[in-house]
Amino acid sequence: MKLPSAFGYVCPEPSGRTLYEELQQMSQSGLSLTAMFKVEDIRKDFPILSRKVNGKPLVYFDNAATSQTPKQVIDAMVDYYSNYNANIHRGVHTLSQEATDLYEQARYKIQNHFNAKFSHEIIFTSGTTHGINLIANGFSSLLKKGDEIIVSALEHHSNIVPWQMLCERTGAELKVIPMNQEGELVMAEFDNLLSENTKLVFVNHVSNALGTINPIEYIIEKAHQVGAAVLIDGAQSSPHIKPDVQKLDVDFYVVSAHKMCGPTGVGMLYGKEEWLKKLPPYQGGGEMIAEVTFEKTTYADLPHKFEAGTPNIAGGIVFGAALDYMNGIGFEAIAAYEHELLEYATEKLLQIDGLKIYGTSEQKTSVISFNLEGIHPYDVGTILDKLGIAVRTGHHCAQPIMDYYKIPGTVRASLAFYNTKAEIDALFEGVKKAKMMLS
Amino acid sequence: MFEDWEERYQYMIDLGKDLPLIDDQYKTDSNIIKGCQSKVWVHAEMEDGKLIFTADSDAIITKGIIAILVRSFSNQPPKDIIHAETDFIDQIGLKEHLSPTRANGLVSMVKQLKMYAVAYQTQMK
């Protein structure tokens, strides 16, 4: 069967060769990946990047909060609502079947992207937080007093609270892997925390506040040695790194689409089939049942067991389009270019007297968390906003990290593959101006 | 070129620097105004039937905003403070700070100052 026209948008490669393939070829012929990275062409895909804020060209450095949306992804959303909008998995009519095909095709795309073994190991969620809560809830029935859960000191609040609630419900104990001055997890301490009581280890792949890339390969291996399951929060890694869940041998991996050029309100939970079969359903409702009588309900098979109610159909389909877009550019090319931006920005900002960067690990994504000596991050963020520069200020929902450094928060500039060195220059000038005005 | 916003912000920053500082004994957690990204402490005292506010913040722009409020509300009888209009905030170009979703919590500050006035007003009766 020839697929309907909407399937055209998911393959944005009319020339046949992706930019990444081009870059790879250049790289093999001795040219650097980044030299060929056509950022000015890429920027044309993002309508918002040409708008002005407070009379100045927008410099968007809040990518760790949410990424911007390319027109290919916006078009996919418009196409869905213009041509395919219907409820899925139950309609006998053509429109419903087409929408179902698109939605399930998006699931395959996600499966391929993260290299899951089965498509039913991919559960659509409303985002990372939903995925984490789904697992925390599922473990309620598996944990008992005396069991232990290990989390890291680098976690987002959304990653601490569900486990505290889980511990309250089950009597299990929460242990924390400490961090060091560089903003790295102390692995020797992790080794000490592990025991046969450890049932679950939960760590973010990349810290949202500092950008540190955590050694999850080591954590997964060690946790498995004591029989513990591992859940990795990929919200901050997925825009920069393409993880292979089978190679990682991770039990659960969660992401949000809106950090990866996709829409808000949709994400995915990857879970190993054996684990997803073991966990009870999270929410009751339509879609997740096989048979219902008043005596007993039989749950549907995976993945529908965890997808109660009408899902975010458009969001799921467009998530697929966002993955197509990012893969069209290529994650190796993205990582190489972002690393170049990170080095440039770090070197530049450190020229400013009294500027301190928090999170100085060798292993980090393109995030710079900093403060000016004696100046509150909120003040710096306010002045930068007046200059059209969007940064995040505050504790970044990671108060334990701020407490560790004894600071109220930081200014966080998080860079994406569509940012430029000229924008970093604007940030540099903006921070200097803020310093002048606020000192 | 000196831009309009720069003048306004420089003014707020300077006001913040001149704000009559709160006595350290009142810089307690219970005097912190919730809803601000930076910490804001406010203390109120009654003198001859008039309320005197002192305040502080760890962020200078926030301190400037609270300084404007302290200037406008301080040294007035509680009932005047309770009924005080806040239009002047628009007039001095701080309107963007008025939105309840704004992280600096100007709305929370106004509310807190008025709460003090209500509390003292009740006491006086």
Side-chain angles (χ1 to χ4, degrees):
Chain A
M1 187 191 94
K2 198 168 181 319
L3 293 168
S5 72
F7 288 81
Y9 68 68
V10 294
C11 305
E13 255 49 75
S15 66
R17 217 164 50 156
T18 65
L19 178 57
Y20 173 58
E21 281 165 347
E22 275 179 45
L23 287 163
Q24 232 179 5
Q25 206 178 38
M26 299 304 287
S27 150
Q28 278 155 6
S29 59
L31 283 163
S32 85
L33 275 174
T34 53
M36 272 304 293
F37 196 86
K38 296 166 184 156
V39 68
E40 287 311 325
D41 287 347
I42 288 169
R43 287 177 69 81
K44 288 181 193 142
D45 290 338
F46 292 81
I48 208 168
L49 295 180
S50 56
R51 75 159 276 187
K52 289 192 168 181
V53 168
N54 291 322
K56 307 277 191 325
L58 167 67
V59 173
Y60 188 75
F61 282 155
D62 196 18
N63 294 289
T66 200
S67 54
Q68 291 304 344
T69 318
K71 63 177 188 290
Q72 290 85 341
V73 173
I74 299 169
D75 289 348
M77 182 71 87
V78 172
D79 190 29
Y80 170 75
Y81 278 115
S82 306
N83 297 305
Y84 302 97
N85 185 34
N87 209 332
I88 57 169
H89 293 144
R90 48 173 79 99
V92 70
H93 59 84
T94 306
L95 211 54
S96 172
Q97 278 170 7
E98 286 179 0
T100 305
D101 286 346
L102 285 171
Y103 192 66
E104 290 307 318
Q105 204 207 21
R107 196 191 305 275
Y108 287 124
K109 283 180 187 175
I110 298 168
Q111 177 201 352
N112 284 334
H113 180 81
F114 293 97
N115 196 30
K117 197 167 174 189
F118 307 110
S119 68
H120 60 253
E121 291 176 323
I122 304 297
I123 311 293
F124 279 112
T125 63
S126 67
T128 304
T129 301
H130 178 200
I132 292 166
N133 277 281
L134 193 154
I135 300 303
N137 184 72
F139 268 81
S140 287
S141 58
L142 304 178
L143 293 181
K144 55 181 191 316
K145 203 170 170 1
D147 288 343
E148 290 171 4
I149 299 171
I150 298 179
V151 299
S152 90
L154 293 175
E155 296 311 314
H156 188 276
H157 291 165
S158 72
N159 303 355
I160 302 170
V161 182
W163 309 116
Q164 282 173 338
M165 288 165 64
L166 176 59
C167 288
E168 277 169 25
R169 285 199 298 270
T170 59
E173 206 184 323
L174 197 64
K175 305 264 179 180
V176 181
I177 314 168
M179 60 182 277
N180 64 18
Q181 274 296 325
E182 282 69 44
E184 297 164 329
L185 294 176
V186 184
M187 282 301 102
E189 295 289 338
F190 171 63
D191 293 346
N192 292 335
L193 290 175
L194 277 174
S195 76
E196 60 197 20
N197 294 327
T198 312
K199 293 292 178 276
L200 185 69
V201 177
F202 174 76
V203 176
N204 55 27
H205 195 165
V206 167
S207 152
N208 74 307
L210 306 176
T212 313
I213 304 171
N214 290 314
I216 61 164
E217 296 82 358
Y218 180 87
I219 290 168
I220 293 164
E221 195 190 329
K222 285 285 183 173
H224 283 170
Q225 282 171 13
V226 298
V230 181
L231 164 58
I232 299 294
D233 169 0
Q236 294 297 333
S237 51
S238 51
H240 315 282
I241 300 164
K242 188 170 177 170
D244 180 329
V245 292
Q246 287 190 75
K247 204 170 148 201
L248 285 169
D249 196 27
V250 66
D251 302 289
F252 307 101
Y253 199 93
V254 286
V255 306
S256 293
H258 73 93
K259 311 250 194 217
M260 314 178 67
C261 300
T264 53
V266 66
M268 79 99 204
L269 155 69
Y270 159 80
K272 273 185 193 163
E273 183 189 48
E274 53 184 286
W275 272 113
L276 292 179
K277 281 186 169 165
K278 209 184 292 183
L279 296 178
Y282 179 43
Q283 290 174 319
E287 295 258 357
M288 53 79 73
I289 34 92
E291 248 187 293
V292 180
T293 65
F294 280 104
E295 286 71 41
K296 185 172 171 56
T297 294
T298 321
Y299 301 124
D301 288 336
L302 290 172
H304 309 294
K305 172 182 163 187
F306 292 107
E307 296 181 350
T310 296
N312 182 349
I313 303 167
I317 293 170
V318 179
F319 185 6
L323 287 179
D324 284 337
Y325 179 79
M326 292 196 75
N327 281 309
I329 295 168
F331 276 78
E332 283 89 346
I334 287 172
Y337 178 69
E338 286 176 344
H339 187 73
E340 192 178 302
L341 287 183
L342 174 68
E343 288 197 326
Y344 182 75
T346 305
E347 196 193 307
K348 195 100 192 178
L349 288 175
L350 284 175
Q351 291 171 16
I352 299 170
D353 262 356
L355 186 141
K356 182 173 173 174
I357 293 177
Y358 298 90
T360 48
S361 173
E362 292 274 307
Q363 299 295 320
K364 77 186 251 198
T365 56
S366 45
V367 168
I368 301 182
S369 227
F370 67 91
N371 272 332
L372 290 170
E373 197 182 352
I375 299 176
H376 198 280
Y378 168 78
D379 289 327
V380 180
T382 304
I383 300 294
L384 289 177
D385 175 54
K386 285 281 151 199
L387 297 167
I389 303 168
V391 292
R392 175 88 187 263
T393 66
H395 52 57
H396 317 298
C397 299
Q399 228 151 0
I401 300 178
M402 303 304 137
D403 291 347
Y404 175 85
Y405 288 121
K406 296 187 176 61
I407 50 176
T410 66
V411 181
R412 182 188 68 184
S414 49
L415 319 181
F417 61 91
Y418 41 74
N419 288 130
T420 64
K421 287 186 181 173
E423 289 180 310
I424 292 168
D425 292 341
L427 174 70
F428 173 71
E429 294 302 328
V431 174
K432 279 203 300 190
K433 187 179 201 86
K435 190 187 164 194
M436 192 188 73
M437 287 180 74
L438 295 162
S439 299
Chain B
M1 199 185 86
F2 208 60
E3 294 184 52
D4 181 43
W5 74 267
E6 282 191 56
E7 278 181 41
R8 274 190 291 123
Y9 275 75
Q10 201 60 62
Y11 173 69
M12 272 195 283
I13 291 163
D14 293 342
L15 275 180
K17 287 176 182 164
D18 294 340
L19 175 72
L21 278 184
I22 188 170
D23 199 290
D24 267 349
Q25 61 170 315
Y26 300 122
K27 260 170 96 167
T28 57
D29 282 355
S30 60
N31 277 342
I32 289 181
I33 297 179
K34 304 250 183 325
C36 308
Q37 214 186 72
S38 46
K39 283 186 181 166
V40 183
W41 299 267
V42 175
H43 174 69
E45 258 175 32
M46 198 67 144
E47 244 174 61
D48 303 328
K50 289 174 179 175
L51 263 186
I52 311 289
F53 291 108
T54 48
D56 198 2
S57 171
D58 56 353
I60 192 78
I61 294 174
T62 313
K63 211 165 149 180
I65 293 170
I66 190 79
I68 292 170
L69 294 181
V70 163
R71 271 194 181 190
S72 319
F73 286 166
S74 221
N75 218 6
Q76 291 190 59
K79 71 168 175 29
D80 291 357
I81 296 170
I82 295 167
H83 297 113
E85 297 287 338
T86 49
D87 297 354
F88 70 92
I89 294 167
D90 292 16
Q91 288 157 19
I92 52 176
L94 278 179
K95 200 175 176 184
E96 66 196 59
H97 292 279
L98 258 185
S99 151
T101 53
R102 215 46 214 197
N104 64 50
L106 178 56
V107 169
S108 313
M109 292 182 211
V110 172
K111 200 169 135 197
Q112 189 63 37
L113 296 185
K114 291 198 169 207
M115 291 284 280
Y116 271 117
V118 170
Y120 275 98
Q121 174 81 347
T122 318
Q123 246 179 35
M124 283 163 75
K125 280 178 183 168

